[in-house]
Amino acid sequence: MQDRFLKSIAKLPESLATAVVPLLDKDFAGHIDAQQLTELQAQTQMELNELLLALLPIAAALARPPISEFHVGAIAKGKSGDIYMGANIELPGEALFHSVHAEQSAISHAWLSGETIIEDIIVNASPCGHCRQFINELVEGSKVNIHLPSQDTAPLSHYLPYAFGPSDLNISAPLLSKQQHNLILDSNDPMIIEALDHASLSYAPYTKNFAAVVLETKDGATYCGRYAENAAFNPSMQPMQMALSTMSRHNRDFSEINRAVLIESSKGVVSLVGAAMDALHSVAPIELEHIVAEPE
Ligand SMILES: O=c1ccn([C@H]2C[C@H](O)[C@@H](CO)O2)c(=O)[nH]1
Ligand SMILES: [Zn+2]
């Protein structure tokens, strides 16, 4: 089991601790599939929602909050029945808006894993206004059920009445709906090709700046993040933040970053390069490779 889970395991009911420890091997990065969940339920005799709430300390152990020391853990449950954990990240020495919230981390985890609908979000602290707004960007966002340790389950529409969202800006294909915005670039570099693929799947209906980041560690592993915009603009999730969040779920230290690539569209009305460089430089002394590609 990874050391980062030692304290959380001590907080779990004994039957759950015994059942979940075998999943927390060196490759565990916060994904538990539907079959594994069924097995956990059988071993613990817990209802599904009870089990998901009980797993939150594991999600919170993925957090890296050097500023607040406040560990938030979230779980996004996809239509497939799989669950995706996420946790907050704060970037040392940088403006607070660079932070990633646990709910954003969990949602981006589900998105990067190919989920098209998120049905439930389970979180250990009441979701802040920014997260409510981020969740509202999802396909059928108002129907996402929010589960908290000491509240009755309620849909997002309860937590965010009179919502402002994508439809107010005439966007009918919200976050997690299929995106395909091909960018043209002649390259044989696998890392650049990976970034290009993710940029084509990014969600940038408001600026058309289809963008993605790939981070590589010295051993050749890569961690990606796509740009995910928000109708209220500020809660948008930057691709660098998403990639850092992917890396931390995989228990990699940011100091292990060896190469960093940002790809964005030449036709976007904004550029993410400044924001991406600031975030990267707060955690690793690496130059950002910035590539601008033509949309098809
Ligand atoms: O809904 C919330 C509220 C706060 N935080 C994080 C952000 C920051 O890292 C820390 C303190 O606000 O908690 C979340 O992850 N989700
Ligand atoms: Zn939040």
Side-chain angles (χ1 to χ4, degrees):
M1 185 182 66
Q2 298 169 26
D3 287 352
R4 60 178 169 167
F5 298 118
L6 282 170
K7 278 193 194 138
S8 328
I9 285 294
K11 292 183 200 155
L12 304 187
E14 207 178 313
S15 64
L16 178 56
T18 310
V20 82
V21 164
L23 301 183
L24 307 179
D25 61 11
K26 68 171 181 26
D27 295 323
F28 182 79
H31 175 210
I32 299 181
D33 69 31
Q35 175 65 34
Q36 291 171 320
L37 275 180
T38 307
E39 285 161 19
L40 288 178
Q41 273 190 267
Q43 283 172 273
T44 58
Q45 297 295 304
M46 283 175 155
E47 300 281 349
L48 181 57
N49 288 338
E50 184 193 0
L51 172 65
L52 298 179
L53 285 165
L55 285 170
L56 285 172
I58 304 287
L62 307 174
R64 293 196 185 163
I67 300 171
S68 69
E69 297 295 343
F70 186 65
H71 293 242
V72 186
I75 295 175
K77 182 164 154 283
K79 198 180 177 137
S80 68
D82 288 14
I83 62 164
Y84 305 87
M85 294 180 177
N88 57 325
I89 303 183
E90 298 163 358
L91 298 186
E94 279 299 325
L96 297 181
F97 64 73
H98 283 286
S99 309
V100 176
H101 287 225
E103 297 86 329
Q104 292 182 297
S105 168
I107 290 167
S108 62
H109 186 185
W111 186 35
L112 292 167
S113 306
E115 288 288 342
T116 54
I117 301 262
I118 289 174
E119 293 180 337
D120 300 272
I121 297 198
I122 302 93
V123 58
N124 65 355
S126 184
C128 76
H130 158 103
C131 287
R132 295 175 195 200
Q133 189 66 46
F134 192 80
I135 298 166
N136 192 53
E137 195 75 21
L138 292 168
V139 173
E140 309 226 324
S142 65
K143 296 187 186 151
V144 174
N145 283 310
I146 310 291
H147 306 259
L148 293 169
S150 48
Q151 299 288 333
D152 289 339
T153 297
L156 181 70
S157 56
H158 168 81
Y159 285 93
L160 191 69
Y162 313 107
F164 172 81
S167 61
D168 293 301
L169 296 176
N170 298 316
I171 298 304
S172 55
L175 185 58
L176 262 67
S177 61
K178 176 108 186 99
Q179 306 289 321
Q180 194 67 55
H181 312 281
N182 293 334
L183 298 173
I184 304 164
L185 193 73
D186 195 14
S187 172
N188 311 318
D189 183 327
M191 197 172 154
I192 292 176
I193 294 167
E194 187 179 356
L196 208 57
D197 287 345
H198 280 286
S200 74
L201 300 172
S202 69
Y203 175 74
Y206 309 110
T207 66
K208 306 289 181 210
N209 187 25
F210 304 107
V213 162
V214 174
L215 303 173
E216 189 187 53
T217 46
K218 294 182 180 77
D219 59 347
T222 55
Y223 303 94
C224 60
R226 300 176 195 152
Y227 187 28
E229 289 190 335
N230 187 278
F233 287 18
N234 298 63
S236 300
M237 189 171 184
Q238 300 296 314
M240 180 62 74
Q241 267 73 355
M242 198 179 292
L244 291 172
S245 169
T246 305
M247 238 189 122
S248 61
R249 285 194 306 271
H250 282 88
N251 203 19
R252 301 303 298 260
D253 217 77
F254 298 142
S255 62
E256 295 179 85
I257 300 172
N258 192 39
R259 225 185 130 193
V261 169
L262 164 69
I263 290 204
E264 57 184 353
S265 167
S266 62
K267 296 286 187 311
V269 300
V270 299
S271 168
L272 307 182
V273 68
M277 278 171 38
D278 286 348
L280 176 66
H281 292 157
S282 78
V283 295
I286 295 287
E287 280 322 302
L288 178 65
E289 296 169 45
H290 178 215
I291 298 166
V292 174
E294 287 293 313
E296 212 167 61

